């Protein structure tokens, strides 16, 4: 709600879709993630890292080091693009270790 009590963010369901109206740009990570989940968007990771993906690759840029579990929208064979190493075969998820402030790019080949 706005300071005067008026709604600032409203949602209304229309059967198989959801309308969202906000008086300000929605830039809160948790709200955006919830909206994406409501829309059926595939979420690759649960951490607040930057993800860029298409059908052939997924790139993850982290601020903090550590292990990440990456969920794939379909079963794939995964290869690290820069290291030229196999990461997972016929998997719908995999784990990868990241150094501090690192970016890793993974090639995705759909399982046959």
């Amino acid at each position: 709600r706005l300071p005067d009590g008026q709604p600032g963010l409203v949602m209304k369901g229309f059967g198989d879709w959801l309308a969202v109206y906000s008086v300000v740009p929605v830039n809160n990570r948790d709200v955006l993630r919830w909206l994406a989940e409501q829309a059926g968007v595939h979420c690759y990771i649960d951490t607040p890292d930057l993800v860029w993906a298409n059908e052939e690759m997924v790139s993850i840029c982290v601020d903090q080091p550590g292990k990440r579990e990456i969920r794939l929208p379909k079963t794939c064979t995964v290869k690290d693009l820069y290291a030229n190493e196999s990461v997972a075969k016929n998997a719908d998820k995999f784990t990868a270790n990241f150094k501090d402030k690192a970016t890793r790019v993974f090639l995705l080949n759909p399982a046959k």
Side-chain angles (χ1 to χ4, degrees):
R1 295 213 170 255
L2 299 174
D4 67 0
Q6 294 292 317
L9 176 68
V10 294
M11 297 173 286
K12 182 175 181 182
F14 291 93
D16 61 350
W17 65 282
L18 178 68
V20 179
Y21 173 78
S22 177
V23 296
V24 298
V26 178
N27 61 1
N28 178 288
R29 170 185 76 208
D30 296 328
V31 172
L32 288 173
R33 182 175 189 93
W34 184 85
L35 290 171
E37 289 171 353
Q38 296 305 303
V41 174
H42 176 79
C43 293
Y44 286 83
I45 57 177
D46 292 327
T47 54
D49 303 308
L50 178 64
V51 176
W52 176 88
N54 63 25
E55 289 187 20
E56 298 173 348
M57 65 181 73
V58 59
S59 174
I60 300 174
C61 181
V62 303
D63 189 42
Q64 301 292 319
K67 186 181 286 189
R68 306 296 195 278
E69 180 179 85
I70 298 118
R71 293 180 303 276
L72 303 172
K74 58 187 168 192
T75 303
C76 294
T77 295
V78 182
K79 182 178 178 181
D80 184 302
L81 177 66
Y82 298 139
N84 197 29
E85 296 174 347
S86 178
V87 175
K89 293 186 179 186
N90 297 323
D92 60 358
K93 64 183 174 182
F94 66 96
T95 58
N97 287 312
F98 287 81
K99 295 180 181 177
D100 189 37
K101 300 188 184 350
T103 298
R104 294 186 68 183
V105 180
F106 303 98
L107 298 175
L108 308 175
N109 292 312
K112 296 177 181 170

